[in-house]
């Protein structure tokens, strides 16, 4: 009976691990503002980087990727002895990803899942993960947009899996993850098209900061006033002479 329930238990545990929003946790520990209160308001490494704290962003990135990697790795290593196959492997990765998007511990206000998806892909297949990561790096290097790099990598990932490896449960998990990634980037797509998307490393304005004041040029005096002033000066000179 327990063995029959194992796939569901593993999936639930993977979701709970994915629900640990490390962007919020790391920011609190390091005394930074809540990443949901500034920039893109997305609790992810890219938004944390907008504070200028590279260490916090790096730790967030590593932990978000790790929480996607560990559940899949655990199933891959210890699952076979319990009769857990590729289906459970795929569900564990997908559940960790969904946990990041809708974390139960943070009122279901999660991030976009890019780093967590990268960790899942690396655990599914290291070569697949590296190929997808290389795609992200190439786009980010040339265009300096994290969102654009994430979108391109999300589109290519299922094709890499389908064309190079096989279309099993892992492929369908990657396909749905990619669709969710694109969907979560709707606002970024609009900003990219409008030319308003923030570039990598660009600092965010502090939450609640007042917009800069506009310095208005002093109003020019009317022509009639200038003419009257000139006439008075002329009359004053006449009196002196």
């Amino acid at each position: 009976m327990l063995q029959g329930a194992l796939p569901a238990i593993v999936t639930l545990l993977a979701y709970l691990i994915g629900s640990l929003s490390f962007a919020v946790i790391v920011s609190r520990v390091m005394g930074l503002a809540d990443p949901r209160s500034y920039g893109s308001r997305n609790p992810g490494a890219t938004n944390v980087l907008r504070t200028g704290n590279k260490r916090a962003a790096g730790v967030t990135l590593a932990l978000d990727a790790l929480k996607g990697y560990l559940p899949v790795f655990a199933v891959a290593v210890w699952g076979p002895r319990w009769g857990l196959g590729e289906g459970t492997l795929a569900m564990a990765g997908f559940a960790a990803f969904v946990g990041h998007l809708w974390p139960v511990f943070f009122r279901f206000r999660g991030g976009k899942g890019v780093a967590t998806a990268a960790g899942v892909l690396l655990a599914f297949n290291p070569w697949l993960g590296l190929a997808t990561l290389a795609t992200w790096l190439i786009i980010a290097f040339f265009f300096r947009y994290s969102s654009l790099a994430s979108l391109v990598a999300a589109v290519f990932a299922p094709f890499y899996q389908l064309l190079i490896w096989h279309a099993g449960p892992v492929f369908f998990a990657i396909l749905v993850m990619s669709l969710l990634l694109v969907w979560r980037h709707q606002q970024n797509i609009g900003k990219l098209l409008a030319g308003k998307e923030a570039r990598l490393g660009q600092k965010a304005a502090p939450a609640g900061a007042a917009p800069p004041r506009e310095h208005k040029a002093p109003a020019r005096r009317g022509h009639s006033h200038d003419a009257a002033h000139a006439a008075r000066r002329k009359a004053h000179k006449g009196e002196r002479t």
Side-chain angles (χ1 to χ4, degrees):
M1 182 177 176
L2 178 61
Q3 190 168 355
L6 270 180
I9 294 172
V10 168
T11 301
L12 176 60
L13 289 174
Y15 168 76
L16 294 176
I17 293 171
S19 290
L20 297 171
S21 186
F22 285 112
V24 179
I25 295 171
V26 171
S27 294
R28 288 178 182 174
V29 171
M30 301 186 72
L32 303 175
D34 191 321
R36 297 169 294 181
S37 67
Y38 60 82
S40 65
R41 302 185 185 277
N42 174 61
T46 301
N47 203 32
V48 173
L49 183 61
R50 292 191 175 105
T51 64
N53 194 319
K54 295 181 180 180
R55 182 184 175 190
V59 173
T60 299
L61 178 67
L63 291 176
D64 276 349
L66 191 63
K67 74 182 183 182
Y69 182 87
L70 285 179
V72 180
F73 177 77
V75 175
V77 173
W78 293 291
R81 72 182 66 176
W82 294 95
L84 302 178
E86 186 182 355
T88 306
L89 186 84
M91 283 305 300
F94 180 70
F97 173 76
V98 169
H100 181 84
L101 268 58
W102 295 286
V104 66
F105 304 126
F106 295 87
R107 300 180 181 180
F108 302 99
R109 292 177 59 194
K112 295 169 184 175
V114 176
T116 304
V120 171
L121 293 180
L122 284 167
F124 279 162
N125 183 332
W127 291 111
L128 170 64
L130 290 173
T132 307
L133 179 61
T135 303
W136 190 96
L137 289 171
I138 290 169
I139 300 300
F141 178 80
F142 284 104
F143 296 96
R144 306 299 299 169
Y145 289 113
S146 174
S147 57
L148 179 62
S150 301
L151 287 165
V152 174
V155 170
F156 273 82
F159 285 102
Y160 289 152
Q161 174 66 24
L162 182 63
L163 297 176
I164 302 175
W165 291 281
H166 67 283
V170 166
F171 164 74
F172 290 105
I174 294 171
L175 179 62
V176 179
M177 285 167 56
S178 296
L179 292 173
L180 286 172
L181 271 170
V182 173
W183 174 65
R184 294 287 281 193
H185 280 80
Q186 287 183 84
Q187 187 178 6
N188 302 89
I189 293 171
K191 289 182 178 180
L192 284 167
L193 293 174
K196 297 179 179 179
E197 180 70 331
R199 293 181 182 271
L200 271 170
Q202 182 175 334
K203 290 188 178 182
R213 294 181 180 180
E214 293 183 3
H215 298 282
K216 294 182 179 180
R220 295 183 63 185
R221 295 179 178 179
H223 178 73
S224 59
H225 181 79
D226 292 342
H229 182 66
R232 284 197 299 269
R233 289 180 63 186
K234 186 174 181 182
H236 181 67
K237 287 182 179 180
E239 290 176 1
R240 290 176 63 184
T241 56

